Amino acid sequence: MKFTPKRRIAAAGLAAALVVGVPALATATNGHEDKTQAAKKAVVGGKARNVILLIGDGMGDSEITIARNYQVGAAGRLAMDTLPLTGAYTTYAVQKSNPKLPDYVTDSAASGSGWATGQKTYNGAISVLPNGKPQPTILELAKKAGYRTGDVTTAELQDATPAVLGSHVVSRDCKGPQSMTPCPVNAKENGGLGSIAEQLVQTKPDVLLGGGKQYFDQTVQAGRFKSLTVLQQAQVSGYHIVTDAAGLAAAPANKPILGTFAKNNMDLEWVGPKPTPQNTPSTTCQPNIARDGNQPHLVDMATKAITVLDKQTRNSKQGFFLQIEGASIDKQDHAANPCGQIGETVGFDAAVKEALKYQKAHPDTLVVVTADHGHTSQIVAAGSTTTGATATLRTHDGADMTISYATSPLGSDQQHTGTEVRIAAGGPQAANVLGVTNQTDLFYTMKRALAVK
């Protein structure tokens, strides 16, 4: 982790930060090799036994470059940089009132619905078409075909990215049974499928890990589980419930696991300077000593999910589908918090490294690393100021890097951008990410890899 001796803090806080703070792959590149044969070897068709999809929320090329420069240096490479086949995909949504027209800047709900279902929809929609009709997701199709499944995030489990895999509502805000005002048509008491929390439990991924406990604690309003909380519904349905890192580590692999580790989103890994209109003095990021030590890190959740799903499928014909999200890259970009954003990207990269480690031992696994949309942060000339706000960080190279946020006034949410974003992959069907594709194409790549209908 890039800390100067002057800025070292209490050993306990630093030890916690080092869980994700070790450079993922701090090696310089050699751009002089002929990679033709390596590229040919990486093009593998056929069926995959497993698919591991890793989503860096809001992790555009700028966010990746910022994290790389800070953590391993400009000539270094993160784990996500080592996947053999790389392309880009477009991320636009469609307009709800006229779905024939694009909405050029997507949110995570519409973009997630795109890669989860293969269908474009409007901002705020969770795996429904613009007319509200539910569309089957890649997780649901995999489960129906006999695969084990997992859904992991550092956000609320009811947040857009994890929600699109196992629920169908007309508004992403309908997170719990007592939060259904934006989508009465989906409420259980009105004959609907229920809130996001209820539907996730009903879809029943074998591993469900993240935050959002407050929505699992809401009371079911109708149906078989009326008057129970959603968490109690999950227990009745056979879930092993865990609420802290120790419980997760000890959880057995012979039952579905629901881990909910925070009331809302999980705590940040790193903290640091907030940008100002005048820029900040050069400094470094620090571990977040206020982070709840009972919360697992993303790499812990990813490792547990992979281990459990591997054990559950060891003697079965079908393998597993697993989604892992680094959610607060986006959230800290919104907040114009460069160290928060970088720390979450580095934490996400540690999860990528675990997925690639598993794939090395199981080459019939398709690993895809991508983002749902671009975001606002930009690297600008060192020490400069912009029409927005800037902060300067001292990187792994010992050089200064100035980061600008300028899509909204300081103090308000920074905005997504409509840019295409990176998609990289390795394993069976990975060649389908090459070139410039559409976000919805990822659904068909994963569907083909798993041979599901």
Side-chain angles (χ1 to χ4, degrees):
M1 183 175 286
K2 180 68 182 92
F3 299 122
T4 61
K6 293 183 192 177
R7 297 182 175 275
R8 295 196 182 276
I9 62 169
L14 184 56
L18 286 174
V19 172
V20 298
V22 206
L25 192 66
T27 57
T29 60
N30 182 352
H32 309 298
E33 298 173 354
D34 183 351
K35 298 181 179 178
T36 304
Q37 293 305 314
K40 287 181 178 179
K41 186 178 178 181
V43 177
V44 181
K47 181 179 178 294
R49 178 171 172 79
N50 314 301
V51 170
I52 303 176
L53 171 64
L54 298 109
I55 299 286
D57 197 320
M59 191 184 70
D61 280 342
S62 185
E63 285 72 28
I64 294 171
T65 307
I66 288 168
R68 182 194 303 118
N69 288 348
Y70 184 85
Q71 183 68 358
V72 297
R77 291 294 178 263
L78 299 167
M80 70 178 80
D81 295 324
T82 68
L83 282 110
L85 300 171
T86 300
Y89 69 18
T90 56
T91 63
Y92 64 93
V94 295
Q95 297 180 25
K96 185 177 182 180
S97 59
N98 185 357
K100 293 181 180 179
L101 293 179
D103 190 336
Y104 292 113
V105 181
T106 189
D107 75 345
S108 297
S111 63
S113 297
W115 57 253
T117 71
Q119 301 293 325
K120 291 286 185 182
T121 192
Y122 60 90
N123 285 339
I126 298 292
S127 294
V128 296
L129 294 177
N131 63 7
K133 182 181 178 182
Q135 294 297 292
T137 74
I138 188 65
L139 185 147
E140 290 169 334
L141 293 174
K143 190 172 182 67
K144 183 178 178 182
Y147 289 87
R148 297 296 182 125
T149 59
D151 198 3
V152 175
T153 184
T154 53
E156 297 169 342
L157 277 162
Q158 303 81 9
D159 203 14
T161 300
V164 297
L165 285 166
S167 63
H168 309 268
V169 292
V170 298
S171 169
R172 62 183 293 174
D173 294 327
C174 297
K175 296 181 178 181
Q178 293 172 276
S179 305
M180 296 298 288
T181 302
C183 41
V185 66
N186 303 124
K188 275 281 179 73
E189 56 270 33
N190 296 328
L193 295 172
S195 64
I196 293 170
E198 292 168 278
Q199 290 189 53
L200 285 174
V201 169
Q202 289 154 197
T203 300
K204 204 173 181 181
D206 298 280
V207 180
L208 196 55
L209 307 175
K213 189 174 185 296
Q214 72 161 333
Y215 298 107
F216 288 121
D217 286 339
Q218 287 190 5
T219 303
V220 177
Q221 300 297 295
R224 176 187 168 194
F225 300 104
K226 184 178 180 180
S227 300
L228 296 181
T229 66
V230 182
L231 205 61
Q232 289 170 330
Q233 175 183 339
Q235 287 177 305
V236 171
S237 301
Y239 269 109
H240 177 82
I241 308 297
V242 295
T243 56
D244 58 25
L248 178 64
N254 61 352
K255 292 182 68 175
I257 300 170
L258 194 166
T260 177
F261 307 107
K263 178 182 177 181
N264 298 112
N265 303 316
M266 295 175 69
D267 292 343
L268 298 180
E269 298 290 347
W270 293 0
V271 295
K274 290 295 181 72
T276 70
Q278 297 78 33
N279 202 355
T280 66
S282 176
T283 187
T284 55
C285 301
Q286 303 296 323
N288 179 15
I289 59 173
R291 189 181 193 278
D292 184 347
N294 290 316
Q295 291 183 14
H297 300 273
L298 180 59
V299 68
D300 302 326
M301 295 192 290
T303 302
K304 182 67 173 186
I306 292 170
T307 300
V308 166
L309 293 172
D310 178 70
K311 286 181 179 178
Q312 290 179 347
T313 58
R314 201 160 286 174
N315 298 314
S316 64
K317 181 180 176 182
Q318 307 288 42
F320 62 82
F321 169 83
L322 171 62
Q323 186 279 141
I324 300 167
E325 182 197 23
S328 287
I329 303 166
D330 167 87
K331 298 180 191 309
Q332 297 314 300
D333 224 328
H334 278 298
N337 180 0
C339 283
Q341 169 189 322
I342 294 168
E344 295 307 298
T345 309
V346 171
F348 174 74
D349 197 60
V352 173
K353 187 176 181 181
E354 284 301 310
L356 293 177
K357 179 181 173 183
Y358 180 82
Q359 185 196 48
K360 187 174 181 180
H362 303 82
D364 54 357
T365 300
L366 170 63
V367 174
V368 180
V369 179
T370 190
D372 47 3
H373 54 74
H375 224 303
T376 188
S377 59
Q378 296 289 322
I379 303 170
V380 297
S384 66
T385 59
T386 70
T387 55
T390 54
T392 296
L393 298 175
R394 182 62 55 91
T395 72
H396 177 88
D397 295 313
D400 285 345
M401 174 175 63
T402 299
I403 304 164
S404 172
Y405 298 85
T407 57
S408 292
L410 189 63
S412 58
D413 265 8
Q414 300 298 315
Q415 299 299 305
H416 299 174
T417 64
T419 183
E420 63 189 32
V421 296
R422 179 198 293 193
I423 179 169
Q429 298 294 324
N432 289 288
V433 308
L434 293 173
V436 177
T437 58
N438 196 316
Q439 193 160 54
T440 51
D441 293 331
L442 176 55
F443 168 79
Y444 295 99
T445 296
M446 296 187 294
K447 184 181 176 187
R448 190 182 306 112
L450 295 172
V452 296
K453 297 181 179 181

